[in-house]
Amino acid sequence: MSRYSVFSLIANALNGQKGWTPAWRDAVPKPSYDVIIVGGGGHGLATAYYLAKEHGIRNVAVLEKGHIGSGNAGRNTTIIRSNYLLPGNEPFYEWSMKLWEGLEQDLNYNAMVSQRGIINLYHSDGQRDAYARRGNAMRLAGADSELLDREQVKALCPFLDFDNSRFPIKGGLMQARAGTARHDAVVWGYARAADRLGVDIVQNCEVTGFIREGDAVVGVETNRGPIRAGKVGLAVAGSTSRLTKHLGLRLPIESHVLQAFVSEGLKPLVPGVITFGMGHFYVSQSDKGGLVFGGDIDGYNSYAQRGNLPVVEDVAEGGMALMPLIGRLRMLRSWGGLVDMSMDGSPIIDVGPLPGLFLNTAWNYGGFKATPASGWCFAWTIAKEEAHRFNAAFRLDRFRTGHVIDEKGVGAQPNLH
Amino acid sequence: MRITCPYCGARSSHEFAYLGDAAPTRPDPADPEAPDAFNAYVYERDNVAGVMDELWYHSGGCRRWLTVTRDTRTHAITAVRFTTMRFTGTEAAE
């Protein structure tokens, strides 16, 4: 497989585009691997890539029950940002942001990373103070932040309802380095780059159980036969509990449904990502022109990958309160994803809890932005059998020991995070 | 999704607040194993993919707690009853 470059583009333009080869092999599973990653989403593929690239572990398979990127990696709203508050979270997400910034050169793939900025709007003095604190916390972790006043926001987004009588806009916290990326291209880019380093990407291969030796996990049972492995890493988001049930494990996560929406295409309107501060609504504009927006999770346990109308109504109301012009747009599509909500709203990347097993889960509704750092830290954790300092706080036992990372401060109630 | 409240009749799920799986019950704090039991009660979930009993509160209606039997794969509801006394290991329904 050749490297993508302007020369390969020209050469293929001249020969009628006949020189392109598949971006990754459709691998047939071998009887055993050093490492098996279950889940061919962004996180799983990134993990395999960094295992091969950073740690020289190339005898790796990524097993995916459908086709790669068909779960949440293909259903999210493509936002990348590192505007977290807590010390357990922010260094990790800032590392992810730095990996996004060099991703396309690293992967030799156009992931359409676009640092168009995010603005979290505030509507009161108290909320401004909270955002000032968050902005300072971001800067302490090496991220960028800027507190904008009303006039500065107005210059960037004149279409917002600044004088809304209930929720007047007073300003916003901006992270200029945040933005969006093309979610499918991230999956394809990692798949191609991992494949070039020798990783087997096995699609239509559903894990149905585990091979055990005593307590240890030494492989997986699949619909394409048993496959043994030195180490098994799970990166299956909302399906984690369904897999760990085979191991007798109960985890601090619930699977919920999160909906997202896209409007008809418009001329360029929304400059970056905007979040409403008085309800859960956020919006950006895709390069095709559609407004991409969403809000709260539906709030009840669900594996259905589709939601209900009350949240559609709630999101529409948030949109109308923020930018009334959205009322004139037609909604093209809406869809639902299966999100792994944790008891404190923060993720888990950890060794164990069984020998040979490694967990990557609990991404809540914010896993896309974490893709590079999640793969990077999970690869480190699998290779060295200990956490990197960036994911040191993402322990499975933090709930038992009281070291929860609760950004929102709402306690052990997954549907409130 | 509509939930048929035994008191109010069929109502939109919008009227209800969701607590979650009805299976965990509060352990006895005097039990020597209480720290483990409370960890499991507060944090660990079966996260059932299938039929599950769960607690909903009819906050926009009669303000009663309901135990709803619902399939998490399809959202189909097969039973709704009032939730009453909840002690360790037992649940009495009206």
Side-chain angles (χ1 to χ4, degrees), chain A residues 241 250 301-303 308 400, chain B residues 1 36 47 70 72 75:
Chain A
S241 299
R250 297 170 84 235
N301 286 37
S302 173
Y303 285 87
N308 272 289
R400 179 183 293 272
Chain B
M1 192 160 67
D36 277 348
N47 198 13
R70 191 177 62 97
T72 60
H75 302 161

Side-chain angles (χ1 to χ4, degrees), chain B residues 6-66:
Chain B
Y7 192 78
C8 307
R11 299 296 185 94
S12 163
S13 61
H14 211 185
E15 289 188 6
F16 299 80
Y18 183 76
L19 186 67
D21 192 345
T25 46
R26 189 178 177 82
D28 178 3
D31 192 309
E33 307 292 325
D36 277 348
F38 268 98
N39 180 57
Y41 167 65
V42 176
Y43 293 118
E44 293 175 356
R45 294 290 177 267
D46 289 327
N47 198 13
V48 176
V51 176
M52 166 163 141
D53 277 352
E54 47 192 23
L55 296 171
W56 291 76
Y57 176 61
H58 198 181
S59 54
C62 60
R63 295 188 287 164
R64 292 288 298 265
W65 280 97
L66 307 178

Side-chain angles (χ1 to χ4, degrees), chain A residues 125 313 398:
Chain A
D125 289 352
E313 193 177 5
R398 68 175 182 266

Side-chain angles (χ1 to χ4, degrees), chain A residues 121-133 147 168 276-279:
Chain A
L121 297 173
Y122 61 80
H123 307 263
S124 66
D125 289 352
Q127 204 171 20
R128 180 197 60 211
D129 293 347
Y131 277 146
R133 178 184 175 213
L147 200 63
F276 185 34
M278 281 288 140

